[in-house]
Each structure stands twice: as structure tokens, then as C-alpha cells.
Amino acid sequence: MTDSMPGAGRRDALLIATGRYDHRSFKALRSPGEDGARLAAVLADQHIGGFRTEQLTNARAHGVMRAIEGFFQNRSRNDLLLLHISCHGIKDDEDGSLYFAARDTDSGLLASTAVPASFLRERMDRCRASIVLLLDCCYSGAFLPGMKGDDRVHVQDELGGHGRAVLTATSRTEYAWEGKQLKTGEPVPSRFTGALIEGLSTGAADGDGDGRITVTELYDYVYESLQRAGVKQSPRMWADLEYQVTIARTAGAAGTRQLWQSVPPPPSDPQPPVDPLLPSDILPPQRIPRETETGAAAGGEGAIGPYPGGDEMIHLCLSLVEMAQGTVKDVQLDTWVRCPNCKGSGRGKWGLLSCLGCLGDGLRGARRTLSIKVPAGVENGMRIQFKGKGAVGHVGGPAGDLYVEVEELLHDDFQRVGHDLYSRLFLSPCEASNGGTFPIDTLLDGPRDIIIPPGTPDSQTFRLRKLGVRHLTGADRGDLLIRVHIRD
């Protein structure tokens, strides 16, 4: 198998990011825009990817399809094309077909308002170039209670072919940030794309150290990074390539410095006092220490401690009401605790060199139940930090931290966008023509009345101030927006 190196042909990258949606059935995503911008910077850097990059952000379905068709047209066999798509992914309930959501996608009219995966497959099939496709999308039904997400989402069936590789995240949620990130509204990359960026920009994905990052090395790095971080998703790869495609070269010091000077560093984490029942902090996703940085390896080979315990992360599904008004939840955590037999010393009783309960390690696996307080105003994807509630340290070392990542369950009547809530009011043509006072439900404030003026048109939106979700700071609330739908 030969390698495809930079310079063998044209190297072009198209990055499609959709974070805003006109239809209320799709939640806004904060990550795609940042995903595209930062990945484009890495790919375009001449010390790393050497790609000519083009970005398409928040476009309508027709515009996305036009860009995809143009991207794959009139290509040479020596070209390398990289397509990155970050958006909502949808599966048709009737036949399981995969679609990519655009800004104007209507969940009830997928065939005419979304981008079919079959269209992308056809464009790829007609292209002679080598193709790397990176899909950072969520899949329909993956996060609903009681349903198992489709890990593969028929990627091999719908996007397979000759001369290409497909890397896909098995799941994708909106990641919203806390602290400084929430106040400034700055998004950061998703887990999947974030790992891609880190592996390429730092050269860490160069598994064999030969100065080149191949598509398989990049996949291995992303997969292992997410597993080490405790992220509950397993990226998948499908490939049918005549040769090993090189995505990037390992960046030199100058190239890496030039790239990351243009990207603001993440904020440092504040260190408030610890309360066992209250969150120590609410953070953006960050790297959880690897296993080799915690436990015995933290002190080097043969270390006897003390050294800190590892951080833990769990996933918690909450209703929109629970996230808006706050709640207290009992969670279970499988972690390491101090051995009750030897009190963590690892020494046995009656002269035994090692404790039989922990075989001299001082720690034992156990399931703990913790009661945690979720503050009002948390958003989908936020990570709540509880200091000292992770795995216990060894030989008196401090315990690690517990991170609780919250996920918002869909509500039947309300949709949340930031701190605002959206709902609908259904009126007959007569009611809309005559106007009047109509009862509505709010999420947290009980029934209210709304005055509709005579002659109100379909899709007219009315804003009720201060009936939305409270900000985490507690200083203010968002609004409730009611859209009128006229039905016969």
C-alpha cells in the first residue's frame, strides 16, 4: 500500500456547518460554527494540512447540495478531497434513510428540505478523487429515553464506495458552556471535532512517528481520545482506499505556534469552596485526565503515593422543567473507594504483607449513590463539576472530581433556545380574524392569557417577557415566544 502525500494532487476541503434552524423541531447547535472555523485553520495551515479550504455556514438545503455537487465535480484521480459536515443528522422513520439537516429543514418534509445521504453518495460515486468524509452529526432517536442509538446509521450502506474513508461520531449533542464561556457566548468544538483538531494540530495523531498523519492514525487517535476522556460515544470508520491517505504532516514548532496564536485559549477554571451537595463549578467539556496520569502511574513506576484519584464522568438526562427550575437528583457512580478492610493502607492484618480485600492496592471498586443539586438554568451539554467526588486517592492522596454532563429531554410543547422558550397557539381562521383573549400554558408560571389582535396572520409571533428560563446567575429570565398557527 502506498501513501498519498501532500503535493501529489489538489488538496481541497469543504466544511459545512449548520447550527441555526428555522424549524422549531431542531434545537440550535453552538458547536458547528466553531467546529468549521478551527478545523479549517488546521487543515489550511501549510505546516500541517496544506488544504485549500472553503466553509459553508447555516445555509439552506439547496445551497448545501449545490456546494456538495460543485465540490466533487471535475476532479482528478490524484486529488484529495476532505468534506466535514457538522449539523443535526436525521433518520427517516419509515425507511431508515439518513438526512443531514440544513437551516430550512422541516422534519415533516425531509425529502424536499433536507440533504439526503443518498445524494452525497451519488456525488461521491461520480468523483474520481480520493475522498475523506468526516460526519459530526447527531442521529434521530439516539438520545430519546429507552431507545438505543444506531451506532452506524447505515454509513456503510449509504456512504460506502471506492477510494474513500468515512469517519463518524456515533452520537452528537449540543455543547453549551458555563462560567466565562456562557457569559460571552463563545462556543468551542464538539468532542469528535475537538479531538480531530487536537490530533492534527499537535501532531499527537502521528502514531508511528514518521511525520505523517494518515486517515487511520487520525481515527485511532480520535477513538482513543474519547474513550480515555470517558465520553460515551464510539467513533466509527469505514474505508475503501487503494493507498493510505495522508491527512497532514506533523507540525513543527513554528507552524503550531502560528496556528494557535489565532485561537483564544480556554478560560482557567475557578476554584470556589467545596460543598458535598452543591456543584463546585459548571464547566465546558475539558480533557479528563488519562489513566496514566492518575492512580499508581501518576507517581512513576513503583510509586507508593500519595497521589490523587482519577476524575469520573456520568451522563444525566433531565426534563426541560428540571433544567429550567433546578432539581436535586440521586445518581449512581461506579468508582474506586478506599478499601474498608485495610483503610487504604494495602497492608493486611495478622502480619500479612497484603490486604486480601484489595490485594495490597488499598482501593476497591464500589457503587456509590450521590445526591446532587442541579442549579436552575443549566443548558444541554453543560458539565457540572463536583470537586472531590471522583475516585479516591491512593495512600492519602486527594480524591478526583466528578463531572455530571446534563442532557435535555425533548418537551412536547416547548422548545428552548438559550434562555427563551418557544410555544405555539392554534387558532381557527375565525378566531384569528376576530382576535380576542386566549388562554396559554407556560412552562413554570402556570396558565396565562394572551391578547391576540384582530386580523393576526399565520406564523405571527408574540413575546411574553420574563416567562422563559432563568439565567444561571439568577439575575434575569428569558422570554416566552408564542407563534400563532391558523388551522381550519
Side-chain angles (χ1 to χ4, degrees):
M1 180 178 288
T2 59
D3 287 339
S4 171
M5 292 299 301
R10 292 180 56 174
R11 294 169 64 84
D12 291 326
L14 173 62
L15 300 99
I16 298 174
T18 308
R20 296 181 182 178
Y21 300 90
D22 297 336
H23 199 269
R24 70 181 301 271
S25 61
F26 298 107
K27 289 185 64 65
L29 300 175
R30 291 195 176 119
S31 296
E34 182 75 1
D35 286 346
R38 295 186 70 179
L39 183 57
V42 175
L43 294 174
D45 191 286
Q46 294 303 310
H47 299 280
I48 305 176
F51 283 87
R52 297 193 311 174
T53 62
E54 179 183 356
Q55 299 179 61
L56 186 65
T57 305
N58 296 325
R60 300 183 181 276
H62 175 74
V64 174
M65 295 174 71
R66 184 183 181 93
I68 290 175
E69 183 172 11
F71 183 64
F72 290 120
Q73 271 187 346
N74 303 321
R75 295 295 185 171
S76 163
R77 184 175 178 84
N78 294 325
D79 292 343
L80 174 60
L81 306 181
L82 186 148
L83 175 60
H84 177 267
I85 300 178
S86 180
C87 64
H88 280 300
I90 321 157
K91 281 178 63 178
D92 191 306
D93 292 336
E94 295 183 1
D95 60 9
S97 297
L98 175 62
Y99 293 85
F100 304 108
R103 178 165 183 169
D104 60 336
T105 296
D106 186 327
S107 59
L109 300 171
L110 294 180
S112 59
T113 64
V115 180
S118 58
F119 170 81
L120 176 56
R121 180 199 62 214
E122 292 168 359
R123 298 303 100 193
M124 293 169 67
D125 285 343
R126 292 171 178 262
C127 184
R128 300 178 60 204
S130 296
I131 300 170
V132 176
L133 175 63
L134 307 175
L135 295 180
D136 196 351
C137 306
C138 56
Y139 302 113
S140 179
F143 302 107
L144 297 180
M147 297 187 66
K148 182 179 180 181
D150 185 347
D151 288 333
R152 303 180 186 276
V153 194
H154 308 299
V155 168
Q156 294 185 18
D157 297 336
E158 297 216 24
L159 299 178
H162 186 65
R164 70 205 55 176
V166 180
L167 277 67
T168 175
T170 62
S171 60
R172 171 70 159 75
T173 61
E174 175 192 9
Y175 292 102
W177 319 118
E178 191 60 31
K180 296 180 181 178
Q181 292 283 4
L182 179 65
K183 293 177 183 178
T184 61
E186 294 181 7
V188 298
S190 73
R191 304 285 172 66
F192 178 75
T193 301
L196 291 173
I197 294 170
E198 181 182 5
L200 293 172
S201 64
T202 64
D206 181 11
D208 58 9
D210 66 351
R212 297 173 294 182
I213 300 174
T214 65
V215 64
T216 53
E217 286 179 319
L218 182 59
Y219 166 75
D220 290 341
Y221 176 82
V222 172
Y223 183 92
E224 293 171 4
S225 295
L226 298 192
Q227 295 302 303
R228 285 194 298 263
V231 179
K232 294 185 177 180
Q233 65 184 76
S234 298
R236 295 288 186 265
M237 175 178 173
W238 182 94
D240 181 9
L241 296 166
E242 294 179 354
Y243 41 76
Q244 184 60 272
V245 170
T246 297
I247 301 296
R249 293 186 184 274
T250 303
T256 303
R257 183 163 54 251
Q258 177 185 3
L259 170 66
W260 292 111
Q261 282 177 347
S262 63
V263 180
S268 58
D269 298 334
Q271 303 293 331
V274 176
D275 187 322
L277 294 179
L278 300 177
S280 307
D281 202 357
I282 307 180
L283 306 171
Q286 60 185 44
R287 187 176 65 88
I288 300 296
R290 302 179 182 179
E291 182 179 354
T292 55
E293 297 171 12
T294 60
E301 185 176 358
I304 60 173
Y307 45 80
D311 292 343
E312 305 278 5
M313 187 174 74
I314 60 176
H315 192 71
L316 180 62
C317 294
L318 297 173
S319 69
L320 179 56
V321 172
E322 290 174 323
M323 297 182 72
Q325 69 181 9
T327 186
V328 176
K329 286 283 187 178
D330 289 338
V331 298
Q332 290 188 328
L333 174 66
D334 292 321
T335 185
W336 295 100
V337 299
R338 190 166 289 109
C339 175
N341 294 344
C342 65
K343 309 301 182 185
S345 69
R347 300 285 178 176
K349 299 179 180 179
W350 305 294
L352 296 176
L353 293 179
S354 296
C355 171
L356 298 180
C358 62
L359 301 180
D361 188 58
L363 305 177
R364 293 180 62 177
R367 172 166 293 183
R368 298 166 56 197
T369 300
L370 299 174
S371 182
I372 64 172
K373 183 175 182 179
V374 179
V378 294
E379 295 187 54
N380 190 39
M382 283 183 175
R383 213 181 252 191
I384 307 174
Q385 180 187 28
F386 296 86
K387 286 190 174 296
K389 296 302 178 181
V392 300
H394 190 74
V395 195
D401 298 336
L402 169 64
Y403 294 85
V404 178
E405 186 173 85
V406 297
E407 177 186 331
E408 178 187 309
L409 301 176
L410 294 178
H411 194 283
D412 292 336
D413 300 316
F414 295 93
Q415 180 187 11
R416 176 180 179 179
V417 179
H419 299 100
D420 293 334
L421 294 172
Y422 288 78
S423 186
R424 296 177 292 180
L425 174 63
F426 296 98
L427 299 178
S428 69
C430 180
E431 290 172 327
S433 177
N434 295 330
T437 301
F438 299 90
I440 61 168
D441 290 327
T442 66
L443 183 70
L444 303 177
D445 301 277
R448 294 292 180 94
D449 290 332
I450 184 172
I451 299 175
I452 302 298
T456 294
D458 186 55
S459 299
Q460 178 71 45
T461 300
F462 295 88
R463 182 183 297 270
L464 304 180
R465 299 195 178 277
K466 309 300 182 183
L467 293 181
V469 178
R470 187 173 302 280
H471 293 222
L472 272 168
T473 59
D476 204 356
R477 288 181 65 176
D479 300 331
L480 172 61
L481 292 93
I482 306 293
R483 172 175 284 186
V484 171
H485 290 261
I486 301 176
R487 292 185 175 180
D488 293 332

